[in-house]
Every structure is written in structure tokens, then in C-alpha cells.
Amino acid sequence: MSDITLDAKVPDGDIQTLWDEHKFNMKLVNPANKRKYEIIVVGTGLAGASAAATLAQLGYNVSAFTFHDSPRRAHSIAAQGGINAAKNYHGDGDSVHRLFYDTVKGGDFRSREANVYRLAQVSNSIIDQCAAQGVPFAREYGGLLDNRSFGGAQVSRTFYARGQTGQQLLLGAYQALAEQVGLGKVKLYNRCEFLDVVQVDGRAAGIVTRDLLTGEVQSHAAHAVVLATGGYSNAFFLSTNAMACNVSAAWRAHRRGALFANPCYTQIHPTCIPSSDEFQSKLTLMSESLRNDGRVWVPTKAGDPRGPDQIPESERDYFLERKYPSFGNLVPRDVASRNIKAQVDSGKGVGPLRNGAYLDFAESIKRLSPQVVEERYGNLFDMYERITDENPYKQPMRIFPAPHYTMGGLWVDYHLETTIPGLYAIGEANFADQGANRLGASALMQGLADGYFILPYTIGDGLAPLLNKPLADTNHPAFKAAEAEVTDRYRGYLATNGTRSVDWFHRELGHIVWDNCGMERSRPGLEKALSEIPALYQEFKTDLRVLGDDRSLNQSLERAGRVDDFFQLAELMCRDALEREESCGGHFRVEHQTEEGEALRDDENFAYVAAWEWTGPDTPAELHKEHLDFKHVHLAQRSYK
Amino acid sequence: MTATEPLSGSPAPAAPGRTLNLTLRVWRQAGPDAPGAFEDYDAPGISVDMSFLEMLDVVNERLVEQSREPITFDHDCREGICGTCSLMINGRPHGPQRGTATCQLHMRKFADGDTIVIEPWRAEAFPVVRDLAVDRGAFDRIVEAGGYITVNSGSAPDANLIPIPKSVADAAFDAAACIGCGACVAACPNGAAQLFTSAKLAHLNLLPQGQAERYKRTEAMVDTMEELFGSCTNHGECEAACPKEIPIDFIALLNKDYLRAKLKNRRYLSRKP
Ligand SMILES: Cc1cc2nc3c(=O)[nH]c(=O)nc-3n(C[C@H](O)[C@H](O)[C@H](O)COP(=O)(O)OP(=O)(O)OC[C@H]3O[C@@H](n4cnc5c(N)ncnc54)[C@H](O)[C@@H]3O)c2cc1C
Ligand code: SF4
Ligand code: FES
């Protein structure tokens, strides 16, 4: 049993002025003293690059780590749709309060109000910052910034850069980081993987890394460590995430004492291209914006062998329009996903493998002209055709939901600090702001809010008392022990000498997690997964085959470490899902639904953050609860009828 | 060291659902300083719906089954946006399909019985780290030299303070679409990085926000580029190889700005005291 008390450290006061007052009340490190501090930032996606650049601008000495070959290539680069902000440039009634309210409601009332309010407040500065960096946001003919409405929001607050918003925002943050690297203020370690956090005297004192090119295991000391290492959707094997996304950094911190919050909150995106065979390595997202003009349908008859053009109107079921007359095809992601899956499960799936629903543009093309449709979606249609060899101007797209984003992550307080003092987590790696479901265009906002505008302030409060404290010695036994553990772990994978590849195990694990802890969860399913995962994990430990050595670039060896951690995480996801006897946002327990099949929350018993503590490899994780108070939003059942 | 194998001609696209029997001739190299050589692998039963990288996944899985070390290659997003994938396929960067990165290339573009030659980028500035993976750090050095607009976090004015004509924003975007893959360098007989550098310069130099540092940036980036890469002699191979179809016109802008930068910077700025 541990003595952890979860203190979110939300200051008292009026939510509207809380952050400003708190910024004033926090301890400051004076500019001349900042250079006496070493900060490690792990991860150079949107969250990490923006944080590392800002901390260096402020005068801290920063070391930034990424396992990519360049900081320009994090998973953030793939975000298509856009980034939210409460600018109200369109005068359609948006405000900080409305963005706050929508985000809490969209998250199905499972996030911390004070954090979300702050996020909405700083959202506007992000747009200013990025525009000044030269991010080429879409503009109107008058030269001002354009917005669109996204993901069912009732105001236009999404800023976008064609279908490549993540790319342009990441390049902006990368360039800001590159400037600091060029100035010698940031030391960059690329192709270098974080594998452990080391504590000395009860505080994060540094990290252990492995150079992916040489296999060298090395320690680095710092006064504070920031993890900006992204989300864990690849626990499902097939997801829309980039291939390298993984949970290892967060997981290794978890094993050292950082609590892991809400692991079962995962988001399934409704419009992805269905897989074409068992060798499929990832799934490609088709932007949410397509649902503005595409109509989702399946044949009314299960197993209908006809092509879409042979099926008359009367034998088509536009099931979203039928069930949700007011929102129709624009219902939120979780609702759309579940409904599509239900149709496919009932045998009405379309395509060669009967694993999708149609997203049909025929009517829009007639109503708007092919030119307008091309202007809006041309690049997406091209991408679709490149992958499927089918032309969506002529025949409907096929879509199916896929894992996309993880709301769960390392538990952090209002300062974004984990339960290990001196260890912070930002971006998708933390659990903070999205509750049980993330709204479209809010992840980019959160990553950049954390990195540019929140962490750089809160970290100072933790650092100020350490003035003139020397760095920990990397020869300290704690570092040496962690190094030895890492070395042994990787040698162990090589020595197993079994018969199955890493990818085989990852795929099998992904099947179990997807089938039982995916879009719908049930007690029997979760219990089944909880018996299957340890069995497969046991096989992984005895039958893994990794060839080559640990002294040169060895991609299978890297993946072995990541899949190992996915096994452990997967178990916790299932336990968390089992424990949460309600449905909320992306977590849908079949036992808890309304008569119409909608998610049924239980606010009385489950309005809390489930934060799990690692107690060892052979003992179950221990649950700690952070109770959530809602003072500014009224808890309501979502309805999209 | 380029492959001597002839291109496989232009195959009739395979019918959906079919599989292909292929031979791969792959560059294997154990490390940066190790000698490299081509090795042949049979790749039977490849579905035409697989992407090129999924085909390599399958080949790797089979190699592991036979206790042979899998082929190392770089990749990440598999959506054509991160710029990590980098294969020379039958002598062409990113293979036969125009405007398409390796990860977006599908096997239906190949024919049954083909031999496919797969190599890493070949350029002096991009040393091989293993098999098909190279080190493109030289691109980062160019950006570090000046590929940014200096603006400290929190100091920016309201985003709508500076209206930007849509046409200017669109042109800057066309340049900003570069994914930093390095195909342009691999395609260039001189190993020059003009297309990449000009794309970054055009993105920033066209925008009003980028004016203050325009000439300092141009001189610093071009000088760094010239230290690290070969010289441009206007072959134009880069444009044809670019998966984002970055137009070669941006190089003219680079040259113009560099000339002006040399004049201005000598007079006023004196970047290196
Ligand atoms: C296809 C797609 C489209 C999306 N579209 C949108 C959108 O339109 N709007 C929106 O708001 N959100 C969108 N999202 C979500 C959003 O892109 C992500 O949530 C966000 O970019 C995550 O940023 P990050 O900085 O937290 O992490 P990442 O970008 O994943 O960065 C992680 C970083 O950590 C590094 N790293 C990880 N582990 C280690 C380790 N052990 N050692 C060293 N380095 C490590 C990586 O190298 C990388 O630099 C989309 C997501 C996907 C998959
Ligand atoms: S200019 Fe084109 S080929 Fe060159 S790095 Fe950019 S995207 Fe790749
Ligand atoms: S893997 Fe990202 S562009 Fe090909």
C-alpha cells in the first residue's frame, strides 16, 4: 500500500481569473538564474518541441530527445483537420466560456474543470503565436484567417491549413526548436530512446536512454524531466497513429511511481479506410470533414452481393439520418463509430471483406457540382483512390472506425506534474483535458497550450527552490541500476531465441484488445481479455525471436521493448474498463446504456479520475481516485437525436 | 553503385484481388562503415492491395521465420506526410508513381514476375546508417541556420493584425508542403539540396512575417547548404522526384534572394562579425 495522496493542486478562486492569479503567485526563477538549470524534454512532437523551444527562449539549458531521425517527424505531423481557438473571429457567439463548456461536455463530464478553462483561455495565444511563426493558415480573400466548423461544433472555431494542419503547426514548432538548437541553447539527441526515469532523493534527477544507432545505454542528469511522448493507440496494433507511436516512455515512468490515469479512455474515429488484408500495417484516417457532405449507409439486406450502384434507394439504410434526425451524419465520433460497427456486425458490411459502410457523395456531387466537391475534398479523394484503387467521385467510399487517440495517460496536477516530483507530462501523454472523449481539433490545441503557454510557467515554480542545487551524479547507484536494467532487458529479448516475431505478438495482442476493449466493452469480454493477455504475454517472454545484436540499429529489438510495455498497459486498460461500471464518452460498457443504446453515465459513483499505481509485475495495480467537481457546467446526458 | 537491372517496363496494372510473385534485389549494409551489397529475395504471393512498405513487412516477417535478419528501412506515418520513408525503387526515388511517397505506393503498380531493385538514398550528404536507412541530419542543419521566424512564445500580436492576401498565403503554403524526405537530393546527379532549401526559403520569405529576417536567413541557409551538399546545375531531376511536386521555380527565388542578400548583408548586416 502506498502513501500517495492525489492532490490536483488547483488553486482556490474564480475560475475566470484563476490562471492569471496563479501565474502571479507562483515562484519565479529570475532570468539570470535560469541558465543554472538543466531541463530534459523527451519527445519533440507538438507538445515537446513547443516546450523545449520556449524553455530555451526563457534561458534554461534544455536537452531534447526523440527516437525519430529528426524532430520534424513526430506523429503530430499527420493531423489533418485543424486546431480550435475561441477567437470568435466570425462573430458567431464563440467565447472562452463556450469552448470550455463544449470541451467539458464533449468529454462527457470526466475532465477537470480548472484545466479545461485554462486551455480555452490560452487557445487564442496559440493562434497568434503560430501565425507569427509563419504557419500558413487558411485565409479568406480579405486576407484574414478563415475558420470552419468541425466535429459537430455549433460555431466556426477551427483554424486549419488545408488538410495538413498538424504538419504546418509541427513545422512551426520544429523551426522554433531548430533556432534554439542553432543557438546552442538546446542540445538535441535524435534516434535516441528514453527508457527510464531516475529518482534521487525523491525527485526526478535524470533519465536513461538508448542510442538507436549504436545501442549505447547512457544516463543524463537534469533538474526536471518533461515527457511529451504521445499516445498509445497502437496498443490496438491497427490504428491511425504513426508506426512508431508507443506507450513505453509513460509506462516506464509509471513503473517508477507515476500514476497512470484513465487508461480505458480511448477514442475510435468513425471514418477510416477499412483494412484490405491481414498484412495491413496501419489504418488511414479520412478526415471528419467528409461527413459534412457524405451520407453514411448500408444495404437493408444482410449479405447483399450487389455493388452500390445496383442497390436502389429503397433498399438502402441511411442509419445515422434515420436514428438521429437532428444531427444525422454529424453525430459525435463515438456515436457514429458504434453505429457503424453495429451495422457491420449485423452482416450488412460492404466491400470485398464486408468490413465497412458506405460514405456516399453522389447527392452532394449533384447538389454542389463535382468541382465544388473537388475543391473541398480533392486531396482526400486522391488519397483514398491511391490506397483503394476506387474513385470516390464514381462510387461511394468505404469507411470503418479505427483507434485514433487516447484520452488516458500519465496523471498530472494543475502544474502538469506527475506523482513523481520533478517529472512532468504534456500533450497526448498526459490524461488531463479531454475527459472521456476528445472533440475534433482539440488535441493540437492541448499539446501547444501545454508546451508554449503552461508548462514553461509551472515548471519554474518547481525549479525555484532548487537554486544552486548541483545536478545529480550520473554515477549514482540509482542511475547505474537503471542502466543495468535497460541493458539486461534488451539482451533478454535477444536471448529468448523463440520462434515468433515481435510483429506477430503485437498483432495478436491488438486483436484481443480491439475485440474486448475497443468500441464496446462488456464484463465477460474484459474478463476474457484479462485471461488471454497474460497467457500471450507469457508466450512473448519465452517464444520471441529477435535477430541481430544490441550494438547497432536493430528495429525489431526496439519494437520488442515497446510491445513488451503494450502487454502490461493492455492489462491495465482492461482492468480500468472493468472497474468503470458506467459508459462515458469513448468508454462504452454494453451493460450501461439507455433504452436507445446511448452511453449511460453514473455521476454519483464514477465522477472521478481513475489513477492507477504500479505495485510490481506480479501484483495488481492499485486504484486511486481524484473526485471531479463540476461547479461551472451542469451535468447532463448528451443527446443528439 | 546504382542497379544495373533494367526497369521493369510499364506493367499492365494488376487486377484487384490478385497476387504477384516478385524478386527483390535489396541493398544490405550492416552499418555506416561496413561494405554493402545487393541481395536477392523471392517475394511470392504479394497482394496487389498492399502498400510497398507492407510488402517489405511481409518479406521481413518471412526472413525472421528463416532466422535471417530483417531489412532495415525508415518509415513512420505511412500516409505520405512525415517524410520518413526513403527508398530508391528501380532507380527512382519513391518509385514509379508521380507525386507519391514510397509509403503511398501500392503493389498494383507492379507486374507479376517483376524484379524490383531497392536501394537507400544515394547522396554524399546522406550517409547510410544501415541497409536502406540514411542519415538526413544535414537537412536539420540547414533549418537550424535560419529556417525560422524568430518570435518568442507569448510575444506575438493578434493573428489578424497582419492580413495576408490569400494568393500569397497559398503560394507560401505550396512551398511549406515539403515533407523533408530528401528525394530531391537523391535524384540529383550532384546531390544538391536546392529544392528543399528553396521550398523553406520561399515559405518564409514570401510571408510578411518573414521579411525582417529575409536576407539574413537566405544567406545563412544557402551558405550552410553549400557547405553540406553538392552544387545545383539545373538538371531538374529534383522536381520530377518530389512526392509533393514542389515546383522548381522556387529555386529561382532562392537565387534572386541570395544575390540580394549578399549585397545587403555585406552592406548592413554583416552576419559574421
Ligand atoms: C491521423 C490523425 C489525425 C489527427 N488530426 C487531428 C486534428 O485534426 N486536430 C487535432 O487537434 N488532433 C488531431 N489528431 C491528434 C493529434 O495529432 C495528436 O494527439 C497530437 O499531435 C499529439 O502530439 P504530442 O506532441 O503529444 O505527441 P507526438 O506528436 O506523438 O510526439 C511524440 C514525440 O515523442 C517522441 N517519443 C515517444 N516516445 C519516446 C521515447 N521513448 N524516447 C524518445 N522519444 C520518444 C517521438 O519521437 C515524438 O517526437 C490526429 C491524430 C491522428 C492519428
Ligand atoms: S522538396 Fe520534395 S523531394 Fe525535396 S525534401 Fe521536400 S518533399 Fe522531399
Ligand atoms: S512514412 Fe511518412 S511519408 Fe512515408
Side-chain angles (χ1 to χ4, degrees):
Chain A
M1 285 287 156
S2 76
D3 49 6
I4 291 179
T5 45
L6 276 185
D7 179 4
K9 295 200 186 117
V10 178
D12 288 330
D14 177 358
I15 200 168
Q16 292 179 20
T17 51
L18 203 60
W19 174 235
D20 281 339
E21 281 164 15
H22 192 60
K23 272 197 286 186
F24 179 76
N25 291 330
M26 278 187 291
K27 297 182 208 77
L28 281 181
V29 178
N30 94 36
N33 282 334
K34 289 207 173 81
R35 65 190 149 76
K36 297 181 183 160
Y37 291 95
E38 294 287 333
I39 301 176
I40 284 174
V41 178
V42 186
T44 51
L46 277 177
S50 58
T54 306
L55 291 167
Q57 288 162 9
L58 288 171
Y60 294 110
N61 292 311
V62 178
S63 297
F65 293 80
T66 168
F67 55 45
H68 282 92
D69 69 327
S70 159
R72 68 178 295 137
R73 300 192 214 286
H75 160 62
S76 292
I77 207 151
Q80 302 171 350
I83 176 167
N84 287 332
K87 283 282 195 187
N88 194 28
Y89 279 162
H90 287 244
D92 56 0
D94 202 8
S95 64
V96 167
H97 194 84
R98 188 178 293 279
L99 176 54
F100 157 71
Y101 178 81
D102 288 354
T103 308
V104 173
K105 177 182 175 212
D108 219 356
F109 307 96
R110 289 292 174 266
S111 45
R112 198 188 282 148
E113 277 191 339
N115 282 58
V116 180
Y117 200 90
R118 175 177 65 184
L119 173 67
Q121 277 175 313
V122 303
S123 67
N124 290 342
S125 309
I126 298 172
I127 304 305
D128 299 340
Q129 177 68 20
C130 296
Q133 286 172 341
V135 169
F137 285 123
R139 295 194 176 255
E140 296 166 341
Y141 283 97
L144 300 181
L145 292 166
D146 190 21
N147 288 143
R148 61 181 171 205
S149 112
F150 195 70
Q154 273 143 337
V155 289
S156 287
R157 64 159 74 100
T158 303
F159 293 78
Y160 64 101
R162 298 192 190 156
Q164 287 137 266
T165 316
Q167 180 200 27
Q168 294 308 320
L169 292 173
L170 183 66
L171 291 179
Y174 156 71
Q175 287 163 200
L177 176 63
E179 177 177 16
Q180 299 302 319
V181 173
L183 293 169
K185 299 285 306 174
V186 173
K187 192 161 165 24
L188 182 70
Y189 294 83
N190 62 339
R191 293 207 199 249
C192 190
E193 182 159 11
F194 162 97
L195 289 173
D196 214 342
V197 57
V198 178
Q199 292 164 79
V200 175
D201 301 333
R203 234 192 108 78
I207 66 172
V208 172
T209 60
R210 186 170 171 275
D211 183 317
L212 299 182
L213 296 182
T214 63
E216 193 194 349
V217 173
Q218 229 191 344
S219 288
H220 311 262
H223 294 101
V225 176
V226 182
L227 296 185
T229 45
Y232 53 87
S233 293
N234 280 346
F236 293 99
F237 184 67
L238 282 183
S239 85
T240 64
N241 281 200
M243 301 296 285
C245 292
N246 69 88
V247 77
S248 286
W251 193 256
R252 291 287 139 188
H254 172 59
R255 291 175 53 119
R256 294 289 183 187
L259 300 200
F260 203 105
N262 302 333
C264 81
Y265 288 172
T266 56
Q267 181 170 76
I268 313 290
H269 196 292
T271 52
C272 306
I273 303 178
S275 56
S276 62
D277 57 39
E278 61 176 307
F279 301 108
Q280 187 95 23
S281 58
K282 75 159 283 182
L283 296 169
T284 301
L285 176 81
M286 289 280 107
S287 171
E288 186 142 42
S289 58
L290 289 168
R291 283 198 280 144
N292 288 334
D293 289 305
R295 300 179 67 196
V296 179
W297 65 274
V298 290
T300 47
K301 215 167 59 216
D304 195 326
R306 293 171 292 178
D309 51 334
Q310 304 296 314
I311 302 179
E313 275 304 310
S314 59
E315 290 172 50
R316 298 174 174 198
D317 181 10
Y318 296 90
F319 53 95
L320 292 178
E321 297 170 21
R322 171 170 61 77
K323 286 180 69 179
Y324 307 96
S326 74
F327 276 71
N329 294 296
L330 292 173
V331 289
R333 290 178 179 179
D334 50 334
V335 179
S337 294
R338 270 199 308 279
N339 276 284
I340 295 167
K341 178 168 187 289
Q343 296 297 332
V344 170
D345 287 349
S346 73
K348 295 180 185 166
V350 301
L353 301 180
R354 306 219 157 275
N355 58 352
Y358 288 125
L359 180 62
D360 197 334
F361 295 87
E363 197 195 86
S364 304
I365 291 174
K366 225 187 284 158
R367 177 165 47 88
L368 300 164
S369 84
Q371 288 72 24
V372 173
V373 170
E374 187 184 346
E375 255 169 49
R376 286 191 191 164
Y377 308 114
N379 61 339
L380 294 167
F381 280 30
D382 290 350
M383 173 142 77
Y384 182 86
E385 185 169 7
R386 218 174 273 145
I387 293 172
T388 61
D389 210 23
E390 293 170 5
N391 179 345
Y393 295 101
K394 301 222 170 88
Q395 72 192 86
M397 278 186 180
R398 291 174 293 113
I399 49 144
F400 194 67
H404 177 61
Y405 180 87
T406 52
M407 285 74 69
L410 290 176
W411 185 90
V412 291
D413 63 16
Y414 191 66
H415 281 188
L416 307 178
E417 193 170 13
T418 68
T419 46
I420 298 177
L423 179 72
Y424 297 78
I426 60 176
E428 195 175 336
N430 73 22
F431 88 105
D433 301 345
Q434 316 288 2
N437 175 52
R438 173 176 73 79
L439 290 182
S442 286
L444 303 179
M445 169 173 76
Q446 183 227 334
L448 290 179
D450 288 358
Y452 282 132
F453 298 111
I454 300 171
L455 176 92
Y457 289 101
T458 59
I459 206 170
D461 190 67
L463 289 173
L466 305 179
L467 186 62
N468 295 326
K469 187 171 186 268
L471 280 179
D473 183 354
T474 51
N475 286 315
H476 187 285
F479 279 102
K480 289 294 150 201
E483 283 177 22
E485 230 178 87
V486 165
T487 307
D488 288 351
R489 186 151 69 93
Y490 282 80
R491 297 233 167 108
Y493 301 132
L494 288 167
T496 312
N497 240 330
T499 64
R500 303 269 190 199
S501 71
V502 182
D503 290 356
W504 184 86
F505 282 106
H506 193 180
R507 203 177 298 125
E508 294 297 307
L509 173 66
H511 281 312
I512 301 176
V513 186
W514 174 244
D515 288 345
N516 302 295
C517 197
M519 243 180 297
E520 284 184 349
R521 293 122 187 225
S522 69
R523 174 163 286 274
L526 291 164
E527 282 170 348
K528 178 159 158 272
L530 282 170
S531 79
E532 286 177 3
I533 294 168
L536 187 64
Y537 190 30
Q538 203 48 43
E539 248 182 86
F540 174 84
K541 288 180 186 163
T542 53
D543 198 24
L544 175 68
R545 176 183 289 173
V546 181
L547 303 168
D549 60 49
D550 65 348
R551 292 176 309 280
S552 58
L553 182 56
N554 186 340
Q555 295 173 320
S556 313
L557 186 60
E558 294 165 22
R559 288 205 295 274
R562 297 172 192 162
V563 172
D564 190 344
D565 294 337
F566 275 139
F567 270 106
Q568 302 171 33
L569 166 79
E571 250 191 273
L572 192 63
M573 287 168 70
C574 294
R575 272 209 58 204
D576 187 41
L578 195 56
E579 205 87 15
R580 190 167 282 280
E581 289 282 359
E582 65 162 350
S583 296
C584 56
H587 169 65
F588 190 82
R589 281 285 301 267
V590 293
E591 299 93 336
H592 304 288
Q593 47 183 315
T594 64
E595 266 170 31
E596 291 107 16
E598 305 305 334
L600 189 61
R601 284 197 330 264
D602 176 353
D603 293 328
E604 201 162 315
N605 296 304
F606 289 95
Y608 64 74
V609 177
W612 296 89
E613 183 191 358
W614 173 263
T615 61
D618 305 315
T619 46
E622 196 184 312
L623 176 62
H624 299 262
K625 297 176 183 174
E626 178 198 341
H627 287 276
L628 296 168
D629 275 334
F630 293 92
K631 295 194 192 117
H632 300 86
V633 294
H634 171 65
L635 272 77
Q637 194 70 43
R638 296 185 309 169
S639 167
Y640 298 96
K641 291 271 163 186
Chain B
M1 267 200 285
T2 35
T4 48
E5 195 68 16
L7 293 179
S8 54
S10 40
R18 279 209 310 131
T19 59
L20 310 172
N21 296 318
L22 304 166
T23 305
L24 306 185
R25 181 158 300 164
V26 182
W27 184 260
R28 302 299 306 258
Q29 182 174 338
D33 305 316
F38 283 105
E39 274 184 37
D40 284 2
Y41 303 96
D42 288 331
I46 297 298
S47 153
V48 291
D49 290 324
M50 278 181 200
S51 72
F52 198 84
L53 298 185
E54 280 163 0
M55 181 275 291
L56 285 180
D57 291 341
V58 168
V59 169
N60 272 347
E61 195 106 343
R62 292 176 186 166
L63 286 176
V64 173
E65 258 163 46
Q66 302 160 16
S67 288
R68 293 159 80 189
E69 279 192 43
I71 303 158
T72 300
F73 60 95
D74 272 328
H75 63 95
D76 194 22
C77 73
R78 300 204 175 188
E79 291 189 10
I81 191 74
C82 72
T84 313
C85 60
S86 50
L87 299 180
M88 203 69 165
I89 300 165
N90 288 335
R92 295 163 81 168
H94 293 303
Q97 195 175 358
R98 224 188 143 91
T100 303
T102 299
C103 58
Q104 293 277 282
L105 180 64
H106 280 70
M107 297 315 291
R108 61 183 80 92
K109 299 286 167 197
F110 296 88
D112 195 36
D114 274 359
T115 293
I116 306 177
V117 182
I118 312 173
E119 300 167 81
W121 285 169
R122 305 283 190 189
E124 222 166 299
F126 294 161
V128 171
V129 296
R130 185 176 193 131
D131 296 343
L132 304 171
V134 300
D135 175 1
R136 284 164 287 188
F139 268 3
D140 292 320
R141 301 296 91 74
I142 295 178
V143 177
E144 286 157 17
Y148 45 76
I149 292 172
T150 301
V151 43
N152 284 349
S153 305
S155 62
D158 185 89
N160 260 348
L161 203 66
I162 312 172
I164 302 177
K166 194 172 181 311
S167 57
V168 173
D170 284 348
F173 198 114
D174 290 341
C178 163
I179 58 175
C181 63
C184 46
V185 177
C188 175
N190 307 327
Q194 247 75 4
L195 194 63
F196 168 80
T197 311
S198 71
K200 186 69 331 180
L201 276 172
H203 163 208
L204 300 175
N205 287 1
L206 286 171
L207 291 172
Q209 299 94 312
Q211 296 313 306
E213 292 165 300
R214 179 171 187 167
Y215 296 106
K216 176 170 171 256
R217 165 188 312 122
T218 307
E219 192 179 8
M221 286 178 72
V222 172
D223 287 352
T224 306
M225 172 189 82
E226 284 182 342
E227 265 165 43
L228 299 172
F229 289 87
S231 320
C232 171
T233 45
N234 298 317
H235 283 267
E237 300 284 348
C238 49
E239 185 182 62
C242 174
K244 295 292 139 182
E245 304 187 298
I246 303 284
I248 202 165
D249 309 347
F250 289 130
I251 299 181
L253 187 70
L254 173 148
N255 288 331
K256 204 173 79 195
D257 271 11
Y258 187 64
L259 264 181
R260 282 205 231 151
K262 275 288 174 207
L263 283 170
K264 283 191 196 255
N265 290 351
R266 201 174 304 141
R267 256 193 287 162
Y268 306 119
L269 290 172
S270 139
R271 192 172 56 83
K272 287 173 195 142

